[in-house]
């Protein structure tokens, strides 16, 4: 009985897989060991038997029909419904959405910043107004043109400036609106005399108001400004000022000057920015709709 | 046959190119499956499954011997078919092998015009006995024995077709042959002269 190791050597020997040295060693053993020789003979005989087994002919063709092939592995699409087109649409939708979100974020941040700018300077103006009440009075002789234009001077604003509490029905916004009108009028009336405090926003309209105050007859706005300032009679109360502000636009009233005050010119770029934001949003929505429709169509087909 | 070109086209979804490859390899695939499975119906099923799997996974083919890649799929399909068969224990291996032998038509194709009825019967008996011995080998040994001794693959091709290391192929083949030697002991007595080796040729 030959060992498993010897049989493995014989198996490799008939296949020509032994190294030169192992082959020579085995052949020398074969010459002297009859049992080994007999095992080799059986091995070769069995190998020949297996090799002589008849080759089977395939009973049929195993080719695939086009339908089978398409069911097994759908062919790569080309043209409008191709995978690359779908991916491009997905990418475009993503980019448009990103652009929209970015613009929206910038717009909101911009709005917030503008709101802050509207509040902070006005608060400063209010305090400046308090602080400047006395200097204005002190400087009154120097601002002769303003004094002549404003009967009663700035005194009409004194209740606000001195911190007289506003009526309860006036909200903070209303007070803000009133305050926003105050410095404009004040600066316009003082012809830049208070501008040195740096309190009010130096907007073109305010400058115009200053100009109007300095040269009240040069422009129609100037007359309006003057009328506005003139409207600040000593009897004017904050309620009256607020009501005047809320009153319908009327060129003959002082509210015209107030309503046409600075904020409009500051926000001029905003509509264009909003247009871009809206455009990006519409584009993102359209691309998303198209991509979803494409996806549904691909699935159905 | 421009095999690399056909493979590329088939990878791109050209069913005609793939069918050209099928026609080139279907006899080999079926023979391997037949010797592993032991019966024509199971071999046909396994071969069909193998070509379907080959078409599905063709985009994953990354070069090398296409024949070895395909034979690996065929042997895997045979393993799957054998496992399915094991889940249906009512059908035994013996039952699946036809009483008339592996395949009458193929056995007749082997026959020489000079063979008489007795020789023809003897050939069929030998073929049946050999297949029966193969069927009784463990699956992993059977696959290696079929690829090497029936189909004539070298060790490298067997390693590629089965995913085994060369050393494993060598030892597994040796054990398969040792079992076949015991099984075929009685068959040798029946062998016609054409199968017999002379004593001189054996050493």
């Amino acid at each position: 009985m030959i060992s498993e190791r010897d049989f493995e050597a014989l198996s490799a020997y008939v296949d020509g897989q032994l190294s030169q040295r192992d082959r020579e060693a085995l052949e020398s053993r074969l010459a002297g060991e009859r049992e080994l020789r007999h095992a080799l003979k059986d091995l070769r005989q069995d190998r020949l038997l297996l090799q002589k087994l008849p080759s089977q002919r395939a009973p049929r063709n195993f080719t695939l029909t086009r339908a089978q092939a398409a069911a097994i592995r759908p062919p790569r699409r080309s043209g409008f419904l191709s995978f690359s087109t779908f991916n491009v649409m997905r990418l475009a939708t993503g980019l448009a959405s990103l652009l929209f979100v970015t613009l929206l974020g910038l717009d909101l941040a911009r709005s917030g910043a503008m709101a802050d700018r509207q509040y902070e300077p006005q608060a400063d103006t209010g305090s400046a107004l308090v602080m400047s009440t006395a200097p204005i009075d002190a400087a009154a002789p120097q601002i002769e043109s303003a004094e002549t234009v404003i009967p009663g001077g700035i005194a009409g604003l004194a209740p606000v400036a001195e911190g007289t509490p506003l009526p309860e029905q006036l909200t903070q916004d209303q007070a803000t609106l009133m305050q926003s009108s105050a410095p404009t009028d004040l600066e316009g009336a003082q012809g830049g005399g208070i501008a040195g405090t740096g309190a009010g926003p130096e907007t073109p309209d305010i400058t115009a108001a200053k100009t109007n105050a300095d040269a009240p007859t040069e422009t129609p706005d100037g007359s309006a400004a003057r009328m506005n300032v003139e409207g600040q009679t000593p009897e004017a109360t904050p309620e009256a000022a607020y009501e005047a502000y809320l009153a319908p636009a009327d060129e003959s009233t002082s509210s015209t000057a107030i309503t046409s005050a600075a904020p409009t010119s500051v926000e001029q770029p905003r509509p264009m920015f909003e247009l871009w934001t809206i455009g990006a949003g519409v584009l993102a929505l359209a691309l998303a709709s198209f991509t979803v429709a494409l996806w549904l169509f691909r699935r159905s087909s | 046959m421009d095999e690399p070109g056909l493979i590329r086209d088939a990878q791109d979804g050209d069913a005609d190119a793939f069918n050209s490859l099928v026609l080139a390899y279907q006899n080999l695939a079926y023979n391997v499956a037949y010797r592993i499975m032991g019966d024509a119906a199971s071999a046909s099923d396994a071969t069909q499954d193998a070509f379907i799997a080959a078409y599905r996974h063709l985009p994953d083919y990354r070069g090398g011997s296409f024949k070895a890649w395909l034979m690996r799929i065929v042997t895997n399909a045979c393993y799957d078919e054998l496992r399915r068969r094991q889940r249906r224990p009512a059908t035994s291996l013996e039952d699946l092998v036809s009483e008339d032998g592996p395949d009458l038509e193929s056995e007749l194709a082997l026959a020489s015009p000079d063979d008489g009825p007795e020789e023809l019967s003897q050939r069929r008996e030998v073929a049946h006995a050999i297949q029966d011995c193969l069927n009784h080998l463990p699956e992993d040994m059977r696959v290696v024995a079929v690829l090497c001794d029936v189909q004539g693959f070298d060790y490298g091709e067997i390693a590629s077709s089965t995913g085994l290391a060369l050393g494993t192929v060598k030892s597994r083949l040796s054990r398969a042959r040792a079992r076949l030697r015991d099984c075929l002991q009685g068959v040798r007595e029946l062998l016609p002269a054409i199968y017999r080796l002379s004593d001189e040729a054996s050493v």
Side-chain angles (χ1 to χ4, degrees), chain A residues 164-284:
Chain A
T164 303
L166 291 171
E168 287 181 2
Q169 67 266 26
L170 292 180
T171 62
Q172 185 182 356
D173 289 342
Q174 290 166 343
T176 304
L177 287 170
M178 288 181 61
Q179 287 177 357
S180 69
S181 69
T184 308
D185 295 338
L186 185 65
E187 286 178 16
Q190 292 180 346
I194 302 176
T197 62
E202 294 189 12
T203 62
D205 287 348
I206 292 173
T207 309
K210 291 176 187 175
T211 309
N212 293 340
D214 288 341
T217 55
E218 288 180 10
T219 64
D221 288 345
S223 60
R226 198 178 74 171
M227 288 171 64
N228 178 31
V229 173
E230 286 175 348
Q232 302 285 341
T233 61
E235 293 76 23
T237 62
E239 294 94 323
Y242 179 62
E243 285 168 6
Y245 178 78
L246 292 180
D250 187 334
E251 291 180 3
S252 63
T253 63
S254 60
S255 62
T256 307
I258 296 171
T259 50
S260 63
T264 358
S265 61
V266 173
E267 293 180 5
Q268 267 180 356
R270 195 172 168 186
M272 183 60 77
F273 195 78
E274 285 174 347
L275 276 179
W276 277 105
T277 307
I278 292 168
V282 169
L283 180 66

Side-chain angles (χ1 to χ4, degrees), chain A residues 11 15 41 44-45 56 61, chain B residues 26 31 155 195 199 202:
Chain A
S11 175
D15 290 328
K41 181 187 174 188
R44 283 183 162 155
Q45 181 74 70
Q56 302 291 314
N61 280 337
Chain B
Q26 65 180 2
N31 267 282
Y155 285 17
Y195 290 115
D199 287 342
S202 63

Side-chain angles (χ1 to χ4, degrees), chain A residues 287-300:
Chain A
L287 285 171
S289 305
F290 186 73
T291 306
V292 169
L294 190 63
W295 179 71
L296 289 173
F297 192 75
R298 279 166 55 93
R299 278 195 62 177
S300 64

Side-chain angles (χ1 to χ4, degrees), chain A residues 33-43, chain B residues 181 185:
Chain A
E33 297 180 34
R34 184 178 175 178
E35 193 179 12
L36 204 59
R37 257 197 331 270
H38 186 68
L40 179 62
K41 181 187 174 188
D42 285 349
L43 195 57
Chain B
R181 181 188 176 211
Q185 196 73 43

Side-chain angles (χ1 to χ4, degrees), chain B residues 95-154:
Chain B
D95 294 336
L96 287 168
V97 178
S98 164
E99 289 297 319
D100 295 331
D103 184 337
L104 184 59
E105 188 184 348
S106 296
E107 300 307 329
L108 290 175
L110 174 75
S112 151
D114 300 331
D115 285 348
E118 189 181 349
E119 287 172 321
L120 187 62
S121 172
Q122 207 172 26
R123 282 178 185 274
R124 287 176 53 190
E125 193 174 349
V126 168
H128 189 189
I130 295 170
Q131 183 63 52
D132 197 38
C133 287
L134 281 173
N135 290 344
H136 282 88
L137 285 177
E139 291 169 13
D140 52 351
M141 291 185 195
R142 197 187 317 163
V143 168
V144 174
V146 166
L147 291 177
C148 184
D149 288 341
V150 180
Q151 300 301 330
F153 283 31
D154 62 33

Side-chain angles (χ1 to χ4, degrees), chain B residues 35-53:
Chain B
R35 293 303 169 194
I36 293 173
M37 301 303 301
D39 72 289
S42 297
S44 185
D45 289 347
T47 306
Q48 183 69 78
D49 289 349
F51 280 119
I52 288 172

